Amino acid sequence: MAGMSAVVQPAPIDRLVEDFEFLESYDDRIEYLIELGRSLPDFPAAARNAENKVQGCASQVWLVPTVVPGPDGPHLDFIGDSDALIVRGLVAIVLALFSGRSARSILDTDAEAVFSRMNLREHLTAQRSNGLRSMVDRIKTTARAALAAG
């Protein structure tokens, strides 16, 4: 429509960062993580397999990538799940940060800086922090492979 300007919506991760900045208490942030996990779409049972399982997580976590061509190189979409409520929320955050982006953009993203803005690490056990790092590593490895494949 001529003359109308489009409203630019913030990226999903930007909305989550804003939400986390608003929540001050540990209990509120953990409850929000659980809500985020519950908002994930259903995950196919057949995708809960060794190939999709993320190693290095205390809870079970599965990530499934889909690589699609884009004008700026391959783009990656992810679905994910966990058998633990809080970790499922962490999966939702990781998907909001990385899914739907180009492989190059994924590799250029400083996930730790985003997590720091959310004060996420201060609310996680060492095991959950390691699992979060494992999820990011898995996604970046997939992005590198997609770039290498062209």
Side-chain angles (χ1 to χ4, degrees):
M1 298 189 175
M4 294 189 70
S5 62
V7 175
V8 177
Q9 295 293 323
I13 193 62
D14 293 334
R15 286 192 300 273
L16 293 181
V17 169
E18 289 172 9
D19 290 346
F20 265 85
E21 288 172 345
F22 177 75
L23 300 170
E24 294 181 11
S25 80
Y26 169 82
D27 290 340
D28 288 344
R29 288 176 179 220
I30 294 300
E31 184 59 37
Y32 186 57
L33 272 175
I34 291 170
E35 287 177 32
L36 288 173
R38 287 183 176 140
S39 73
L40 285 175
D42 289 338
F43 191 81
R48 286 184 178 89
N49 58 45
E51 179 183 345
N52 297 326
K53 190 171 180 183
V54 177
Q55 300 303 316
C57 295
S59 302
Q60 293 190 84
V61 174
W62 301 272
L63 290 174
V64 179
T66 302
V67 180
V68 294
D72 54 348
H75 280 236
L76 288 89
D77 291 313
F78 295 91
I79 60 170
D81 199 12
S82 175
D83 63 346
L85 288 175
I86 292 172
V87 177
R88 201 161 192 250
L90 296 175
V91 169
I93 289 172
V94 168
L95 296 182
L97 180 58
F98 292 115
S99 193
R101 298 182 54 203
S102 72
R104 175 58 46 210
S105 174
I106 288 170
L107 293 173
D108 291 342
T109 297
D110 182 353
E112 283 302 319
V114 174
F115 301 153
S116 178
R117 283 180 50 208
M118 299 172 86
N119 293 319
L120 196 55
R121 294 268 189 215
E122 73 185 39
H123 299 293
L124 299 178
T125 63
Q127 286 181 325
R128 287 189 181 125
S129 286
N130 289 339
L132 186 59
R133 184 174 22 264
S134 295
M135 285 184 255
V136 171
D137 290 348
R138 173 77 170 265
I139 287 173
K140 289 197 176 214
T141 297
T142 303
R144 275 191 288 282
L147 278 176

